[in-house]
Each structure stands twice: as structure tokens, then as C-alpha cells.
Amino acid sequence: MYNSKITGLGFYVPDNVVTNDDLSKMMDTNNEWIIERTGIEERRWIPEGSEDTTAVMGAKAARIAIERSGLTKDDIDFIVFATLSPDYYFPGSGVQVQDMLDMPTIGAIDIRNQCSGFVYALSTADQFIKTGMYKNILVIGSEFHSSGLDKTTRGRGVSVLFGDGAGACVLSQTEDKSKGILSTHLHSEGKYADKLIVSSPSSTKWFPELVATEGKDLSYYPHMDGTFVFKHAIVRFSQAIMEGLSANNLTVDDLDMFIPHQANLRISQFVQHKFKLSDDQIYSNIMKYGNTTAASIIIALTEAWEKGKIKDDDLIVLAAFGSGFTWGSAVIRW
Ligand code: ACO
């Protein structure tokens, strides 16, 4: 058995900044409401005519991560791609990255776990490395949300929250059992699937139905019971952190950096106050990017690392909660 550790990090977001004031021109909303309820000041949305897609952004982030790992694309043994907004209904985005990066015919899988997608992807990659099956795995989280949002007043409870972007890391085998991913913890509770859902396209209800309703079928847009999700998020985030720490006989005092999925600044602040974390022990960037779902943790981790906030031997906990419901955590010794 081996451990796996992150050897390269990268992220990519589109240049196009969409402020809260920009949104107030599209729907009945305002900067004050969005900042007070979510902390979000702006997000990146892929502009019309751009070459960017979920797979393209994932490939851009991946190139940076591979370069920083000191490896080449030919050293990568496997791809794990997390997204809820793939370019195609099928095939998944992982195989597109294999092609875009001109990689050998290595395996690629997509992970469909929404906001918990990156934690699930990291955990999946970790298992392949621990068993010795692979040495270097490319793990990607990427989302193109802006094309699928209802940007009218009808959809304002959801559309102001989400942004586009991608992050990636290279996970590599190490024999040092004291370093890298110490443990991961994954959960789901499918009875709440309809609390945060995009129910179409669906194999039970295919495109002819959309055409028949002249595009007025709202099931193609995200639906969220925001207050319900919020209440569960604060409970599950706390459980995910404690589960990860206690599995390693650690406490909150040992924590150097907590990187939560960036769903809502209020959720992160609740967790921060509950565990009495200092501002240096938690990283938030939702203000700039909104909720980028499967990309959010890896974008935040990369940005924190680029700013020198993550040092050798630091104890880092990643935790996420989202649609499914799914939640999970990863405990990492850097
Ligand atoms: N601008 C202005 N007013 C708005 C907006 C908007 N963008 N959106 C909603 N409102 C109005 C509502 O219509 C409502 O008005 P009413 O009282 O007259 O009916 C009022 O503001 C309050 O709406 P709520 O939905 O109750 O607002 P709340 O304080 O719950 O905040 C929010 C909403 C931000 C969505 C919050 O519930 C939340 O963050 N939930 C959790 C999100 C989350 O964690 N998601 C999981 C990850 S995402 C994933 O997995 C894909």
C-alpha cells in the first residue's frame, strides 16, 4: 500500500467577469441582496462565441497542473473528471481531455457528484494509487454553468450563485505514509435528490418533450430548495470535518487550512465560527468566482497554494456538501 500526494495544481477561469450589477440588468435582483445572502461579488461566465467548454477549461487547468508537477502528459496513467455540466450527455469529459492533451490511450472516468464531485474524484484517484494500480492520476473538476441557468427573475434564486471555471491536480504515488491524502470520507442521502436537481434531459423524458413544450419546460433549469439545502449543508459540513479529523486522531487545533466547497460565504462563516477557526485557517474565494461546483475546492486549493498559504507539513481538510445530497471530506498532510 502507498499514499498519494498532490504534486501539481492548476486552475483556469474565463476572463469574462459578471458583476452583481450586471445581473440586475437581466433580472430583478441587486448587489446588496446577493452579497448579504451569499457573499458573492462577481463570477466568471463564458462569453458567447468563446472556445471554452467544460472539457476545454478542464484541459487548460490540467496542462498547468501537469507542468507544475514536473511530469509530462505521457507520465499520467489515468484521468478522473468531476462535473455536473459535461459537454455531452455522453461520452464524459474525461475522454475529451485525453484527446485534447494528446495523451496515450489511458483510462478516463467521469464523476457525477455535483458540489462533492472533487472530493469524490480525489478519493477515487487515491484508491487507485494506494493499491499500486496507478502512479500518477490527473484529477479535474470543471463546470460550465452559465449556459444552463434561467437568467430571468424566475431563476434568480439559483442563477446568481453559479460561476464557470476549472481546476486540476496531479495525484502521485509516494512511499512516505505520513504525507499526502491521509483519509477520505464519502456520503450520500438520495431521498433529498429533488431538493437540488436538474431533472432534464433524462432517459425517462427525452428531447422531443422539450420541443413539444416549446422550451418552456423548467425541468431543464436547476431547481433548488435553497433554505432546505442550507440547513443540511451546515450540519453535513461540520460532520464531514469531524469525521475526517477523528479518523486520524486529530482535532480542530491541528488544522492548518480548511478549504470548504464554495457554496455560500454564510455557510463557510457558520462553520468557521462553530469550530472557532481563525481567518488564516479557512480559505474562501466565492466572492470572486461564485459557486463553481466540482471545480470550487480545487480552484480554492490552487489559489491558496499560489498565495503561499499552504506550506510543507500543513494539515489540510477539504469538505463539500451538495446535490444528491452528497457530502464528504479529505484529510491531507501537505
Ligand atoms: N435577488 C433578490 N431577491 C431574491 C433573489 C435574488 N437573486 N433570490 C431570491 N430572492 C428573494 C426570494 O424570492 C424571497 O422573497 P420572498 O420572501 O418575497 O419570497 C427572498 O429573497 C428570500 O429567499 P430565500 O430563498 O429564502 O433566501 P435565503 O436567505 O434562503 O438565501 C440562498 C437563498 C442564497 C440560495 C441560500 O438558501 C443558500 O445558499 N442555500 C444553500 C445553497 C447550497 O449550499 N447549495 C449546495 C451546493 S450547490 C450544488 O450542489 C450544485
Side-chain angles (χ1 to χ4, degrees):
M1 291 279 279
Y2 303 91
N3 262 23
S4 67
K5 66 174 202 175
I6 293 174
T7 51
L9 290 159
F11 81 97
Y12 169 84
V13 288
D15 290 337
N16 185 41
V17 175
V18 178
T19 65
N20 294 340
D21 286 337
D22 293 332
L23 294 183
S24 67
K25 291 174 196 131
M26 303 174 203
M27 61 189 88
D28 181 13
T29 190
N30 56 77
N31 186 42
E32 293 67 37
W33 190 96
I34 299 172
I35 289 188
E36 193 196 310
R37 306 288 176 125
T38 73
I40 300 167
E41 293 164 21
E42 57 189 43
R43 72 286 293 139
R44 305 297 178 94
W45 279 0
I46 294 174
E48 229 169 272
S50 165
E51 59 154 23
D52 283 340
T53 65
T54 295
V56 170
M57 291 192 298
K60 287 179 179 176
R63 278 193 194 94
I64 301 168
I66 293 171
E67 196 191 326
R68 285 174 172 171
S69 72
L71 300 171
T72 73
K73 65 178 176 63
D74 297 331
D75 298 315
I76 303 295
D77 303 312
F78 195 62
I79 300 167
V80 184
F81 196 120
T83 187
L84 65 68
S85 51
D87 291 17
Y88 309 126
Y89 191 76
F90 74 81
S93 303
V95 299
Q96 288 179 272
V97 169
Q98 180 273 330
D99 176 46
M100 286 170 187
L101 297 191
D102 192 24
M103 296 167 111
T105 55
I106 55 171
I109 52 169
D110 276 36
I111 298 281
R112 298 289 307 274
N113 285 81
Q114 301 68 252
C115 292
S116 311
F118 187 75
V119 171
Y120 269 77
L122 201 64
S123 178
T124 303
D126 182 42
Q127 311 313 314
F128 280 118
I129 288 179
K130 267 191 185 138
T131 57
M133 182 161 174
Y134 295 128
K135 282 201 167 70
N136 300 297
I137 300 182
L138 182 58
V139 185
I140 302 171
S142 180
E143 303 287 2
F144 184 176
H145 282 309
S146 59
S147 60
L149 298 172
D150 179 357
K151 295 169 189 156
T152 68
T153 299
R154 189 180 58 190
R156 66 183 180 175
V158 171
S159 54
V160 302
L161 304 174
F162 292 98
D164 303 333
C169 71
V170 175
L171 205 61
S172 301
Q173 193 182 77
T174 173
E175 287 182 11
D176 182 353
K177 302 281 284 176
S178 65
K179 288 280 178 123
I181 297 179
L182 304 182
S183 65
T184 58
H185 310 270
L186 309 176
H187 297 278
S188 71
E189 199 169 23
K191 70 178 168 187
Y192 297 130
D194 64 351
K195 299 294 178 188
L196 178 47
I197 189 168
V198 176
S199 53
S200 296
S202 150
S203 50
T204 60
K205 189 161 69 65
W206 202 246
F207 292 99
E209 191 164 325
L210 174 71
V211 176
T213 63
E214 294 174 334
K216 294 190 187 107
D217 183 346
L218 297 187
S219 63
Y220 284 79
Y221 291 123
H223 159 79
M224 177 167 73
D225 183 340
T227 311
F228 190 90
V229 175
F230 192 103
K231 284 181 187 157
H232 280 253
I234 54 179
V235 173
R236 295 307 190 190
F237 262 111
S238 306
Q239 288 175 349
I241 298 166
M242 285 318 297
E243 183 180 20
L245 289 173
S246 27
N248 295 284
N249 296 318
L250 298 165
T251 70
V252 173
D253 294 338
D254 298 307
L255 187 60
D256 293 298
M257 180 61 84
F258 172 50
I259 302 203
H261 161 56
Q262 310 284 305
N264 183 326
L265 193 60
R266 306 293 159 244
I267 296 175
S268 302
Q269 286 171 338
F270 177 92
V271 174
Q272 179 178 2
H273 293 143
K274 177 168 176 173
F275 292 111
K276 299 188 175 58
L277 302 178
S278 70
D279 289 346
D280 289 336
Q281 285 176 292
I282 183 166
Y283 192 78
S284 296
N285 61 5
I286 191 171
M287 305 73 99
K288 289 192 295 178
Y289 304 123
N291 179 349
T292 57
T293 307
S296 95
I297 287 185
I298 184 61
I299 291 177
L301 180 64
T302 306
E303 211 178 64
W305 174 80
E306 286 175 354
K307 288 182 177 171
K309 291 180 181 289
I310 291 175
K311 296 171 291 302
D312 196 31
D313 235 26
D314 275 357
L315 185 79
I316 296 153
V317 171
L318 317 178
F321 172 84
S323 160
F325 292 153
T326 56
W327 62 99
S329 59
V331 182
I332 301 173
R333 179 69 70 187
W334 202 258

